[in-house]
Amino acid sequence: NIVKEGQCKGMRIRKNVLADIRKRGYLIMGVQASAPPMNNSPMTDTWEEENGDKEEGKRRERELLWKRTGFDYEMARMIAAEMGVIRKGSVKAREVPEFKDLFCLLNRQEPDGSFSVDIIMSGIARDPSYDNTISWTKPYAEFGYSLVTKKSSYIETLDDCKGKKIGIVAGDNIVKGYVTSQMPDSEIVELSDEEDEWLSDALNLNQVDAVVYDYPFAVEELKGINEEVRERGVQGKLLEIRIANIPNFQLKYSIGVPRGEEDLLEKLNDAIDKVTSDDNPRYAALIQEYFTSSDVKPVEIKPGAKIYIVQRGDSLARIARRELGDEQRWKELGSLNNIGNDHLIVPRQKLILPN
């Protein structure tokens, strides 16, 4: 019952999670602190300002009661409601300061011997290196990496990145591998994202020519950066998501549960199927609430292009199935129209269809 190797070595392996959830009456999710748009609580900063690293035990008790916002938090509430084993939508959360700490959070115990969390859910793409201790649900959301540039940049495609400096978040080896293979003639620059202004500084101080970054987080970063730039009237420092979903790479966000907890995994997967169904308008509305962005470069519709007008209830998958005969071609539609997710469309929007 002890993890024998890896980063979580020596920690206890969690068992009977679903039974614990039923007995407790609510679900506890593990999240990265202050990680909008996936999870956020105003109390995080308030606690750190008042207590710093002190009173960690009290913090871990009280953070279960903090009010939260964010896509992952709202998704967890919807999934919990569909599971049918706890009070409707009853979800609480515990935080870790850094993303890398999430993967052992499933094995962490509180002073009373109880385990800290039941699941981890914080914009996590499955990491196979933790498969010995974590089982992963089917994806509950799918995005991609975006290419972020200055709005004044001439870079339009990946080919334009040849010989250029391409920024990535330091330590993101998945992105590093992608840039190495897909942009072989570019120079990779690893950037620390610890400072709030890291993305703006990297591009506006010409440290890099473009940045490859998760679409959901790029949306959130550019919203704040460009609002401030417009208030200051410095239009030359505006940033833009030049490519919403770069080719040949998809981010599939999954929920992590303790390895071997098949009954919990089955419950979560069944709930994810219901929540993410095309017949559930609440899911599409949640995607649009958190990930619609005015900072994505619009596509120019040229004369003679084949056009489709979006109808109420449409998704890219539904359009691809109806117009192209294969719903899996929604990614092709997304690429043609620079759209970052299946549901980021609105009625009366014009879409370019493949000829």
Side-chain angles (χ1 to χ4, degrees):
N1 292 329
I2 300 294
V3 180
K4 294 184 170 32
E5 59 184 359
Q7 184 180 339
C8 310
K9 184 177 179 179
M11 301 178 81
R12 280 187 61 195
I13 297 173
R14 179 87 181 273
K15 299 290 184 183
N16 303 315
V17 183
L18 187 58
D20 288 345
I21 295 170
R22 284 193 172 109
K23 183 177 180 180
R24 189 193 311 121
Y26 56 87
L27 180 73
I28 304 178
M29 62 188 294
V31 301
Q32 181 185 5
S34 301
M38 312 312 284
N39 165 73
N40 197 35
S41 172
M43 289 303 298
T44 300
D45 292 337
T46 301
W47 181 274
E48 290 176 356
E49 287 172 5
E50 294 178 355
N51 300 278
D53 295 330
K54 300 175 184 177
E55 305 289 347
E56 181 62 22
K58 287 185 179 179
R59 176 197 170 120
R60 278 154 64 166
E61 290 177 12
R62 293 181 183 177
E63 65 187 3
L64 292 176
L65 306 176
W66 291 352
K67 291 184 178 180
R68 297 184 181 276
T69 59
F71 175 76
D72 275 346
Y73 179 67
E74 297 297 337
M75 274 295 296
R77 286 168 53 84
M78 290 170 66
I79 289 168
E82 292 291 350
M83 288 173 67
V85 296
I86 56 178
R87 293 191 297 272
K88 186 175 181 180
S90 185
V91 175
K92 300 183 180 183
R94 282 198 168 107
E95 302 178 343
V96 289
E98 296 188 40
F99 184 81
K100 64 181 178 61
D101 297 328
L102 281 167
F103 298 96
C104 292
L105 190 55
L106 289 168
N107 307 102
R108 191 181 78 177
Q109 291 177 270
E110 298 301 307
D112 64 2
S114 65
F115 283 88
S116 295
V117 302
D118 306 311
I119 64 172
I120 53 173
M121 186 178 179
S122 197
I124 306 171
R126 175 181 176 177
D127 188 335
S129 63
Y130 288 93
D131 283 356
N132 64 322
T133 58
I134 299 175
S135 295
W136 302 95
T137 65
K138 60 181 57 178
Y140 63 86
E142 188 168 343
F143 293 95
Y145 283 104
S146 59
L147 189 73
V148 181
T149 67
K150 288 197 288 188
K151 194 164 186 175
S152 58
S153 172
Y154 72 87
I155 292 176
E156 299 287 345
T157 67
L158 295 191
D159 286 340
D160 295 332
C161 294
K162 289 180 179 178
K164 302 301 179 185
K165 293 180 178 180
I166 305 301
I168 67 170
V169 175
D172 194 332
N173 292 325
I174 295 175
V175 177
K176 189 174 185 178
Y178 175 88
V179 175
T180 300
S181 64
Q182 301 292 317
M183 307 179 204
D185 297 319
S186 62
E187 177 187 346
I188 297 174
V189 179
E190 296 200 36
L191 304 166
S192 170
D193 62 350
E194 292 184 3
E195 299 296 329
D196 290 342
E197 297 81 12
W198 73 275
L199 183 57
S200 177
D201 285 351
L203 289 163
N204 283 316
L205 298 181
N206 299 317
Q207 298 169 6
V208 296
D209 299 292
V211 175
V212 177
Y213 194 35
D214 304 39
Y215 174 84
F217 295 103
V219 167
E220 186 72 19
E221 292 271 4
L222 265 63
K223 184 192 304 180
I225 291 169
N226 286 345
E227 280 180 3
E228 183 177 345
V229 166
R230 290 186 180 100
E231 286 175 4
R232 291 165 52 198
V234 191
Q235 299 299 309
K237 292 192 174 183
L238 288 170
L239 305 185
E240 186 169 67
I241 298 176
R242 192 55 52 95
I243 302 176
N245 201 334
I246 58 178
N248 304 319
F249 197 91
Q250 287 297 123
L251 276 172
K252 297 182 179 183
Y253 293 150
S254 296
I255 299 170
V257 305
R259 187 76 180 168
E261 295 298 288
E262 297 302 320
D263 54 350
L264 175 59
L265 201 63
E266 182 179 356
K267 282 282 188 184
L268 287 167
N269 281 332
D270 287 346
I272 288 169
D273 280 339
K274 294 173 184 175
V275 169
T276 60
S277 166
D278 266 354
D279 296 323
N280 182 4
R282 289 180 60 210
Y283 179 67
L286 196 64
I287 291 278
Q288 291 168 8
E289 177 185 351
Y290 281 100
F291 305 116
T292 297
S293 174
S294 60
D295 298 312
V296 177
K297 182 174 182 180
V299 170
E300 178 186 357
I301 299 178
K302 296 180 180 179
K306 189 177 180 182
I307 300 299
Y308 175 84
I309 307 296
V310 175
Q311 307 298 310
R312 185 175 299 278
D314 271 344
S315 66
L316 290 182
R318 278 187 168 179
I319 296 168
R321 181 169 61 243
R322 188 166 56 242
E323 300 294 323
L324 307 178
D326 182 0
E327 68 177 26
Q328 294 304 314
R329 293 183 68 184
W330 76 263
K331 296 170 187 174
E332 182 181 349
L333 277 179
S335 179
L336 270 175
N337 294 278
N338 208 24
I339 295 170
N341 177 274
D342 182 20
H343 295 284
L344 288 176
I345 53 176
V346 294
R348 297 186 296 279
Q349 180 179 348
K350 293 181 179 180
L351 298 180
I352 304 170
L353 295 178
N355 289 320

Coordinates of all heavy atoms in Angstrom, one line a residue, residues 306-347:
K306 N -16.5 28.8 -49.9 CA -17.7 28.0 -49.5 C -18.0 28.4 -48.1 O -17.2 28.2 -47.2 CB -17.5 26.5 -49.7 CG -18.8 25.7 -49.5 CD -18.5 24.2 -49.8 CE -19.7 23.4 -49.7 NZ -19.4 21.9 -49.9
I307 N -19.3 28.8 -47.8 CA -19.6 29.4 -46.5 C -20.7 28.6 -45.9 O -21.7 28.1 -46.5 CB -20.0 30.9 -46.6 CG1 -18.9 31.7 -47.2 CG2 -20.5 31.5 -45.3 CD1 -17.6 31.7 -46.4
Y308 N -20.7 28.5 -44.5 CA -21.8 27.9 -43.7 C -22.2 29.0 -42.7 O -21.3 29.5 -42.0 CB -21.4 26.6 -43.1 CG -22.4 26.1 -42.2 CD1 -23.5 25.3 -42.6 CD2 -22.4 26.3 -40.8 CE1 -24.4 24.8 -41.8 CE2 -23.4 25.8 -39.9 CZ -24.4 25.0 -40.5 OH -25.4 24.6 -39.6
I309 N -23.5 29.2 -42.5 CA -23.9 30.1 -41.4 C -24.3 29.3 -40.2 O -25.2 28.4 -40.3 CB -25.2 30.9 -41.9 CG1 -24.9 31.6 -43.2 CG2 -25.6 31.9 -40.8 CD1 -23.8 32.6 -43.2
V310 N -23.7 29.5 -39.1 CA -23.9 28.8 -37.8 C -25.4 28.9 -37.4 O -25.9 30.1 -37.4 CB -22.9 29.2 -36.7 CG1 -23.3 28.5 -35.4 CG2 -21.5 29.0 -37.1
Q311 N -26.0 27.8 -37.0 CA -27.4 27.8 -36.5 C -27.3 27.6 -35.0 O -26.4 27.1 -34.4 CB -28.2 26.7 -37.1 CG -28.1 26.7 -38.7 CD -28.7 28.0 -39.3 OE1 -29.8 28.4 -38.9 NE2 -28.0 28.6 -40.2
R312 N -28.4 27.9 -34.3 CA -28.5 27.7 -32.9 C -28.4 26.2 -32.6 O -29.0 25.4 -33.2 CB -29.8 28.2 -32.3 CG -30.0 28.1 -30.8 CD -31.3 28.8 -30.4 NE -31.3 30.2 -30.7 CZ -30.7 31.1 -30.0 NH1 -30.0 30.8 -28.9 NH2 -30.8 32.4 -30.4
G313 N -27.6 25.8 -31.6 CA -27.4 24.4 -31.2 C -26.2 23.8 -32.0 O -25.9 22.6 -31.7
D314 N -25.6 24.5 -32.9 CA -24.5 23.9 -33.7 C -23.3 23.8 -32.8 O -23.0 24.5 -31.9 CB -24.2 24.8 -34.9 CG -25.0 24.4 -36.1 OD1 -25.5 23.3 -36.2 OD2 -25.0 25.2 -37.1
S315 N -22.4 22.8 -33.2 CA -21.0 22.7 -32.7 C -20.2 22.4 -34.0 O -20.8 22.0 -35.0 CB -20.8 21.6 -31.7 OG -21.1 20.3 -32.3
L316 N -18.9 22.6 -33.9 CA -18.1 22.3 -35.1 C -18.3 20.8 -35.5 O -18.3 20.4 -36.7 CB -16.7 22.6 -34.9 CG -16.3 24.1 -34.8 CD1 -14.8 24.3 -34.6 CD2 -16.7 24.8 -36.0
A317 N -18.4 19.9 -34.5 CA -18.5 18.5 -34.7 C -19.8 18.2 -35.5 O -19.9 17.4 -36.4 CB -18.5 17.7 -33.5
R318 N -20.9 18.8 -35.1 CA -22.2 18.6 -35.7 C -22.2 19.2 -37.2 O -22.7 18.5 -38.1 CB -23.3 19.4 -34.9 CG -23.8 18.6 -33.8 CD -25.0 19.3 -33.1 NE -25.7 18.4 -32.2 CZ -26.7 18.7 -31.5 NH1 -27.3 19.9 -31.6 NH2 -27.3 17.9 -30.6
I319 N -21.5 20.3 -37.3 CA -21.4 20.9 -38.7 C -20.6 20.0 -39.6 O -20.9 19.7 -40.7 CB -20.8 22.3 -38.6 CG1 -21.8 23.2 -37.9 CG2 -20.6 22.8 -40.0 CD1 -21.1 24.6 -37.5
A320 N -19.5 19.5 -39.0 CA -18.6 18.6 -39.8 C -19.3 17.3 -40.2 O -19.2 16.8 -41.3 CB -17.4 18.2 -39.0
R321 N -20.1 16.8 -39.3 CA -20.9 15.5 -39.6 C -21.9 15.8 -40.7 O -22.1 15.0 -41.6 CB -21.6 15.0 -38.3 CG -22.4 13.8 -38.5 CD -22.8 13.2 -37.1 NE -23.7 14.1 -36.4 CZ -23.4 14.6 -35.2 NH1 -22.2 14.4 -34.6 NH2 -24.2 15.4 -34.6
R322 N -22.6 16.9 -40.6 CA -23.7 17.2 -41.5 C -23.1 17.7 -42.9 O -23.6 17.3 -43.9 CB -24.6 18.3 -40.9 CG -25.8 18.6 -41.7 CD -26.8 19.4 -40.9 NE -26.3 20.7 -40.4 CZ -26.1 21.0 -39.1 NH1 -26.5 20.1 -38.2 NH2 -25.6 22.1 -38.8
E323 N -22.1 18.5 -42.9 CA -21.6 19.2 -44.1 C -20.5 18.4 -44.8 O -20.3 18.5 -46.0 CB -21.2 20.6 -43.8 CG -22.3 21.5 -43.3 CD -23.4 21.7 -44.3 OE1 -23.1 21.8 -45.5 OE2 -24.6 21.8 -43.9
L324 N -19.7 17.7 -43.9 CA -18.5 17.0 -44.5 C -18.5 15.5 -44.3 O -17.6 14.8 -44.8 CB -17.2 17.6 -43.7 CG -17.0 19.1 -43.7 CD1 -15.8 19.5 -42.9 CD2 -17.0 19.7 -45.1
G325 N -19.6 15.0 -43.6 CA -19.8 13.6 -43.5 C -18.9 12.9 -42.5 O -18.9 11.7 -42.4
D326 N -18.2 13.7 -41.7 CA -17.4 13.1 -40.6 C -17.2 14.1 -39.5 O -16.5 15.1 -39.7 CB -16.0 12.7 -41.2 CG -15.1 12.0 -40.2 OD1 -15.5 11.8 -39.1 OD2 -13.9 11.7 -40.6
E327 N -17.7 13.8 -38.3 CA -17.6 14.7 -37.2 C -16.2 15.0 -36.8 O -15.9 16.0 -36.1 CB -18.5 14.3 -36.1 CG -18.1 13.1 -35.3 CD -19.0 12.8 -34.1 OE1 -20.1 13.2 -34.1 OE2 -18.5 12.1 -33.2
Q328 N -15.3 14.0 -37.0 CA -13.9 14.2 -36.6 C -13.2 15.3 -37.4 O -12.1 15.7 -37.0 CB -13.1 12.8 -36.8 CG -13.6 11.7 -35.9 CD -13.5 12.1 -34.4 OE1 -12.5 12.7 -34.0 NE2 -14.6 11.9 -33.6
R329 N -13.8 15.7 -38.5 CA -13.2 16.8 -39.3 C -13.5 18.2 -38.7 O -13.2 19.2 -39.3 CB -13.7 16.8 -40.7 CG -13.2 15.5 -41.5 CD -13.7 15.5 -42.9 NE -13.0 16.6 -43.7 CZ -13.3 16.9 -45.0 NH1 -14.3 16.2 -45.6 NH2 -12.7 17.8 -45.6
W330 N -14.0 18.2 -37.4 CA -14.3 19.5 -36.8 C -13.0 20.2 -36.5 O -12.9 21.5 -36.6 CB -15.0 19.3 -35.5 CG -14.3 18.8 -34.3 CD1 -14.2 17.5 -33.9 CD2 -13.5 19.6 -33.4 NE1 -13.4 17.4 -32.7 CE2 -12.9 18.7 -32.4 CE3 -13.1 20.9 -33.3 CZ2 -12.1 19.1 -31.4 CZ3 -12.3 21.3 -32.2 CH2 -11.8 20.4 -31.3
K331 N -11.9 19.5 -36.4 CA -10.6 20.1 -36.1 C -10.1 20.8 -37.4 O -9.5 21.9 -37.4 CB -9.5 19.1 -35.7 CG -9.9 18.5 -34.3 CD -9.0 17.3 -34.0 CE -9.5 16.6 -32.8 NZ -8.7 15.3 -32.5
E332 N -10.4 20.2 -38.6 CA -10.1 20.9 -39.8 C -10.9 22.2 -40.0 O -10.4 23.2 -40.4 CB -10.5 19.9 -41.0 CG -10.2 20.4 -42.4 CD -10.6 19.4 -43.4 OE1 -10.9 18.3 -43.1 OE2 -10.6 19.8 -44.6
L333 N -12.2 22.2 -39.6 CA -13.0 23.4 -39.6 C -12.4 24.4 -38.6 O -12.4 25.6 -39.0 CB -14.4 23.0 -39.2 CG -15.4 22.5 -40.2 CD1 -16.8 22.2 -39.6 CD2 -15.5 23.5 -41.4
G334 N -12.0 24.0 -37.5 CA -11.5 24.9 -36.5 C -10.2 25.5 -37.0 O -10.0 26.8 -36.8
S335 N -9.4 24.8 -37.7 CA -8.1 25.3 -38.2 C -8.4 26.3 -39.3 O -7.8 27.4 -39.4 CB -7.3 24.2 -38.7 OG -6.1 24.7 -39.3
L336 N -9.4 26.0 -40.2 CA -9.7 26.9 -41.3 C -10.2 28.3 -40.8 O -10.0 29.3 -41.4 CB -10.8 26.3 -42.2 CG -10.3 25.4 -43.4 CD1 -11.5 24.8 -44.1 CD2 -9.5 26.2 -44.4
N337 N -10.9 28.2 -39.7 CA -11.6 29.4 -39.2 C -10.9 30.0 -37.9 O -11.5 30.9 -37.3 CB -13.0 29.1 -38.9 CG -13.8 28.8 -40.2 OD1 -14.2 29.7 -40.9 ND2 -13.9 27.5 -40.5
N338 N -9.8 29.5 -37.5 CA -9.0 29.9 -36.4 C -9.9 29.9 -35.1 O -10.0 30.9 -34.4 CB -8.4 31.3 -36.6 CG -7.1 31.5 -35.8 OD1 -6.5 30.5 -35.4 ND2 -6.8 32.7 -35.5
I339 N -10.4 28.7 -34.8 CA -11.3 28.6 -33.7 C -10.7 27.5 -32.8 O -10.2 26.5 -33.2 CB -12.7 28.1 -34.1 CG1 -13.4 29.2 -35.0 CG2 -13.6 27.7 -32.9 CD1 -14.7 28.7 -35.6
G340 N -10.6 27.8 -31.4 CA -9.9 27.0 -30.5 C -10.6 25.9 -29.9 O -9.9 25.0 -29.2
N341 N -11.9 25.7 -30.1 CA -12.6 24.6 -29.5 C -13.9 24.4 -30.3 O -14.5 25.3 -30.9 CB -13.0 24.9 -28.0 CG -13.8 23.9 -27.3 OD1 -15.0 23.9 -27.4 ND2 -13.1 22.9 -26.7
D342 N -14.4 23.1 -30.2 CA -15.6 22.7 -30.9 C -16.8 23.6 -30.7 O -17.6 23.8 -31.6 CB -15.9 21.3 -30.4 CG -17.1 20.6 -31.1 OD1 -17.5 21.1 -32.1 OD2 -17.6 19.7 -30.5
H343 N -16.9 24.2 -29.5 CA -18.1 25.0 -29.1 C -17.9 26.5 -29.2 O -18.9 27.2 -28.8 CB -18.5 24.5 -27.7 CG -19.0 23.1 -27.6 ND1 -20.2 22.7 -28.0 CD2 -18.3 22.0 -27.1 CE1 -20.3 21.4 -27.8 NE2 -19.2 21.0 -27.2
L344 N -16.8 27.0 -29.6 CA -16.6 28.4 -29.6 C -17.1 29.0 -30.9 O -16.4 29.7 -31.7 CB -15.1 28.7 -29.4 CG -14.6 28.4 -28.0 CD1 -13.1 28.7 -28.0 CD2 -15.3 29.3 -27.0
I345 N -18.4 28.8 -31.2 CA -19.1 29.4 -32.3 C -20.4 30.0 -31.8 O -20.9 29.6 -30.8 CB -19.3 28.4 -33.5 CG1 -20.0 27.2 -33.0 CG2 -18.0 28.1 -34.1 CD1 -20.4 26.2 -34.1
V346 N -21.0 30.9 -32.6 CA -22.2 31.6 -32.2 C -23.2 31.6 -33.4 O -22.7 31.6 -34.5 CB -22.0 33.0 -31.6 CG1 -21.2 33.0 -30.3 CG2 -21.3 33.9 -32.7
P347 N -24.5 31.6 -33.2 CA -25.4 31.7 -34.3 C -25.2 32.9 -35.2 O -24.8 34.0 -34.7 CB -26.8 31.8 -33.5 CG -26.6 31.1 -32.2 CD -25.2 31.5 -31.8

